[in-house]
Amino acid sequence: MTSELVLTEQTPLFEAGAPEFAAAVPAPQRRAARGRAPVAEITVPLRKPVNTLAIVPKSQRITSLGRKSYNVLLFEAQSQGLDKDVFSAPLERIIRGVDFDSNDQELIKKHLRAMVSTTVEWQSPTTGEGTTWNVSGLLAHARLSKIRGQVWVEWSYAVNLKQELLQPTVFARLSLEIISQLRSHAGIALYEICSRYKDIGRTSRQAWAWWRPVLSGRPENEKTAKLEYRIFKRDTLKPAIAEVCAITDIDVELVEHKAGRFVSELQFLIRPKAREALPPRQPPQPVDLGAVTQARALGIDDGRAEELIETYGQQAFTEGLDALRKRLETAFPEPLRDPFRYLKALLSGEATQRAAKAAAERHEAPATSPADATTAARSEEDRAAQARREARWTEAWIRQRREQIVRDIAGLSAEEQARLSQALLEDMEARQVHPSIRKRLQTSGWQHALVVAEMIRFYAVGAIGDDWDRPTPEQLLAIAGQLGDGTPTGR
């Protein structure tokens, strides 16, 4: 499916302009806007069809902010009714924290473009429950227009899905208030699926690999297909379950089903819990993209900003941006080279406290005047000595990281090591690694001196990520605490 996002500030979405839009807004919302709210207004849940709960992205990643925005659009469309082919709403009712008249419009368009271009398979989390299988984009089209000083968003759905999306026969009742408090895509997806089976008490059983793209929001590829279950459990399942249990109105418990020695299928037990009622709101609160736009202004791209929000939460991310902004303004003791890595270190726990403690021990403090700055500046010799110490710390950290990875691989079963070695061989063939090294892998195994470095890199990138060999400032502080200023030993 190919669709185009069109941005115009000239032609109204409908010839009549505002009257058409007023008719699209549900009566309770129009009355509330005039200051006369209904006598007994309640929170209306989103009725999300079962076929849209376990969506499998095929072309690009679905972010948590993207999924939240899509839910708000679907809520609005259901309120406006099945008789419409095109739906519309003020942009500020869908997304807040962005300025349409600035560069922020690129962020808005990026999210709408992703909803149009992201190809997904629509399927029920219970095999055979959905009546049909469908593949399409999240949206069929999207358009932004400025009318009488207000920005409106217009959208539509694929014809093969519109009926089921707007008037679903089998659906989950979802609280958008609760979803707004979840930060990760895995947490949102798990909550949506488990809400469908809240009265039954358990989800259906599915192969664990089935859950991976559904919860992660990432398309499957050769790299993810080779990752082991324990990595998926550690990085995706456990954080999502903890988030759902901590924030939502249900408790979720993982159940693993084994085939022989290995986990083959997963399902989740669901227990409703008493939860204080949230104050009713209608329409739902718009998705906040303000922090993402602030991060962009500080040199962090949108994708990385959204990943940090998913990992650490909106509040911590916003507080971290304030600290990053101050650090960029002071440029002490030297200009900040990588805002993203600095912010990630701030958010990763106690990095800020440890750095402050280390600075106090070195009797360093940011200068408040030119005279203070001159007094506090280190000599070139001191800078060179510090650079040598940091180089030694980095070397020691990388050595420890490599040793740990070797232990992790050696701890795998013989069958898992064999599969990993075969995957490494295919990777080396694709990269055209020298034939002699490939031959050593086949004849002597991955622990051969010529091969082990390749295996460490291959395993670490898949299990940890591309930054597996780059210590954060927090990690360097930890290794410095172990080794001090002396030259590290080879232990």
Side-chain angles (χ1 to χ4, degrees), residues 221-264:
N221 54 43
E222 292 183 5
K223 183 177 178 180
T224 59
K226 294 173 182 177
L227 290 180
E228 300 173 3
Y229 168 69
R230 64 187 182 89
I231 304 299
F232 172 60
K233 182 178 180 180
R234 181 195 68 192
D235 295 344
T236 304
L237 285 178
K238 285 186 174 182
I241 293 171
E243 186 177 23
V244 170
C245 291
I247 294 175
T248 75
D249 55 353
I250 57 177
D251 282 325
V252 175
E253 179 183 343
L254 174 65
V255 179
E256 299 173 325
H257 298 277
K258 292 186 176 182
R261 297 167 49 202
F262 301 101
V263 174
S264 60

Side-chain angles (χ1 to χ4, degrees), residues 8 13 27 62 64 176 181 300 323 328 334-335 350 401 415 446:
T8 174
L13 303 185
I62 301 174
S64 62
L176 293 184
Q181 300 174 57
I300 300 174
L328 288 170
E334 59 184 2
E350 301 176 356
R401 170 59 65 91
E415 294 84 355
W446 66 268

Side-chain angles (χ1 to χ4, degrees), residues 74-256:
L74 183 57
F75 180 92
E76 287 284 347
Q78 289 180 351
S79 300
Q80 295 179 27
L82 185 62
D83 58 324
K84 288 184 171 293
D85 293 325
V86 176
F87 307 92
S88 56
L91 182 64
E92 62 187 12
R93 204 153 76 206
I94 309 299
I95 294 172
R96 70 180 176 204
V98 293
D99 181 3
F100 181 79
D101 291 324
S102 73
N103 291 333
D104 294 349
Q105 64 180 259
E106 290 303 319
L107 178 60
I108 303 170
K109 290 193 287 186
K110 185 196 80 169
H111 278 274
L112 291 174
R113 188 182 296 113
M115 293 185 206
V116 171
S117 61
T118 299
T119 304
V120 297
E121 288 185 5
W122 306 82
Q123 60 179 354
S124 169
T126 298
T127 303
E129 181 179 47
T131 56
T132 57
W133 168 88
N134 276 294
V135 60
S136 74
L138 290 171
L139 297 179
H141 97 284
R143 174 174 169 164
L144 295 172
S145 293
K146 195 169 187 179
I147 303 173
R148 301 177 185 175
Q150 187 177 36
V151 180
W152 287 76
V153 57
E154 170 191 291
W155 71 97
S156 63
Y157 300 101
V159 293
N160 60 326
L161 290 169
K162 178 188 171 188
Q163 173 78 36
E164 185 61 20
L165 285 171
L166 301 187
Q167 288 189 353
T169 54
V170 184
F171 54 86
R173 295 181 182 273
L174 303 177
S175 167
L176 293 184
E177 301 260 7
I178 291 177
I179 290 176
S180 69
Q181 300 174 57
L182 297 169
R183 69 189 188 201
S184 69
H185 182 277
I188 296 171
L190 183 61
Y191 168 70
E192 291 184 2
I193 292 173
C194 289
S195 293
R196 164 70 182 90
Y197 304 100
K198 184 161 51 175
D199 296 333
I200 300 174
R202 66 182 61 218
T203 67
S204 64
R205 289 170 55 169
Q206 297 284 358
W208 74 262
W210 180 92
W211 291 96
R212 184 168 51 207
V214 168
L215 296 185
S216 70
R218 298 176 183 271
E220 286 284 76
N221 54 43
E222 292 183 5
K223 183 177 178 180
T224 59
K226 294 173 182 177
L227 290 180
E228 300 173 3
Y229 168 69
R230 64 187 182 89
I231 304 299
F232 172 60
K233 182 178 180 180
R234 181 195 68 192
D235 295 344
T236 304
L237 285 178
K238 285 186 174 182
I241 293 171
E243 186 177 23
V244 170
C245 291
I247 294 175
T248 75
D249 55 353
I250 57 177
D251 282 325
V252 175
E253 179 183 343
L254 174 65
V255 179
E256 299 173 325

Side-chain angles (χ1 to χ4, degrees), residues 298 319-343 345-346 352 355 359 362 364-367 378 383 390 473:
L298 297 177
E319 294 173 355
L321 287 180
D322 292 337
L324 173 61
R325 187 180 296 107
K326 293 176 182 178
R327 175 65 178 84
L328 288 170
E329 289 173 353
T330 60
F332 180 88
E334 59 184 2
L336 187 62
R337 299 177 182 177
D338 192 334
F340 170 74
R341 292 186 65 186
Y342 180 83
L343 179 58
L346 285 177
T352 306
R362 295 194 304 267
E364 295 176 359
R378 291 176 295 185
R383 290 178 183 273
E390 292 182 359

